[in-house]
Amino acid sequence: MGPDLERVLLGQSELAEGIARLAAEIDADYNGRELLLVGVLKGAVMVMADLSRALHRPATMDWMAISSYGAGTKSSGVVRILKDLDADIAGQHVLVVEDIIDSGLTLSWLLSNLRSRNPASLEVCTLLRKPDAAKVEIDVKYVGFDIPNEFVVGYGLDFAERFRNLPFIGTLAPHVYS
């Protein structure tokens, strides 16, 4: 694990079980409807890849890149679109796939932006949620795991672009970011 991480919060098998559970719920809820998965780059890459493979129904994918962190550990609340969707989502059943929701500020902004594009439906799936960090209330239909308000890395989550490739989710040691 190394000196930069304090502990493993969710191991590979726990992550796989969580993704399988989310996929089963999504499959059941979207029976008979085609689904557009919208991944939020870069953090959701691992979740999106594994979730899409676990689904048993047709789904297309698109990506957005938005930023509100920079190199820090807390959301700034100021959102920038770095990459927008490639296709029009009007009339489509859209499922936003997130890696983590903490303050909810960025996601709240994103959902408002996507609603203005007139999808048939718009829901959220997140692997991780930090209930104690929430600053705005967001209706999240699919949650893999509720976790404590700690800075986590791995499985797509990063600190200054490091640690994304870890196959587990661990807590970052404070000396790394302080």
Side-chain angles (χ1 to χ4, degrees):
M1 200 166 60
D4 291 342
L5 300 177
E6 288 191 321
R7 65 182 165 56
V8 173
L9 189 63
L10 295 165
Q12 285 180 273
S13 61
E14 289 172 286
L15 292 170
E17 289 168 12
I19 292 287
R21 179 177 43 78
L22 291 169
E25 291 174 29
I26 293 164
D27 276 334
D29 289 350
Y30 286 89
N31 189 23
R33 294 184 284 169
E34 190 161 322
L35 184 60
L36 170 63
L37 303 174
V38 173
V40 182
L41 294 171
K42 297 178 189 171
V45 168
M46 307 296 191
V47 178
M48 182 87 135
D50 289 347
L51 179 68
S52 66
R53 286 189 298 242
L55 290 172
H56 292 104
R57 65 180 338 54
T60 56
M61 289 186 231
D62 204 343
W63 297 91
M64 286 188 82
I66 55 178
S67 175
S68 68
Y69 278 83
T73 61
K74 299 232 186 295
S75 174
S76 68
V78 176
V79 180
R80 294 181 314 146
I81 294 179
L82 306 175
K83 184 223 173 285
D84 207 344
L85 296 173
D86 292 331
D88 181 9
I89 64 169
Q92 295 193 54
H93 297 285
V94 176
L95 180 64
V96 174
V97 178
E98 275 278 25
D99 52 352
I100 190 167
I101 299 170
D102 43 42
S103 73
L105 295 171
T106 303
L107 183 57
S108 176
W109 181 92
L110 176 62
L111 292 173
S112 177
N113 180 287
L114 293 176
R115 274 189 205 98
S116 73
R117 303 178 193 201
N118 301 313
S121 66
L122 179 64
E123 298 291 350
V124 176
C125 174
T126 187
L127 180 64
L128 306 173
R129 177 176 61 183
K130 295 181 184 179
D132 294 339
K135 293 187 175 166
V136 295
E137 190 172 324
I138 296 175
D139 182 28
V140 180
K141 188 159 188 176
Y142 308 100
V143 178
F145 304 92
D146 281 328
I147 64 168
N149 190 14
E150 300 178 79
F151 197 85
V152 292
V153 294
Y155 197 69
L157 297 154
D158 75 303
F159 173 72
E161 295 300 324
R162 294 178 54 217
F163 308 107
R164 286 189 197 280
N165 62 323
L166 296 175
F168 57 85
I169 292 176
T171 58
L172 193 61
H175 75 267
V176 176
Y177 58 85
S178 57

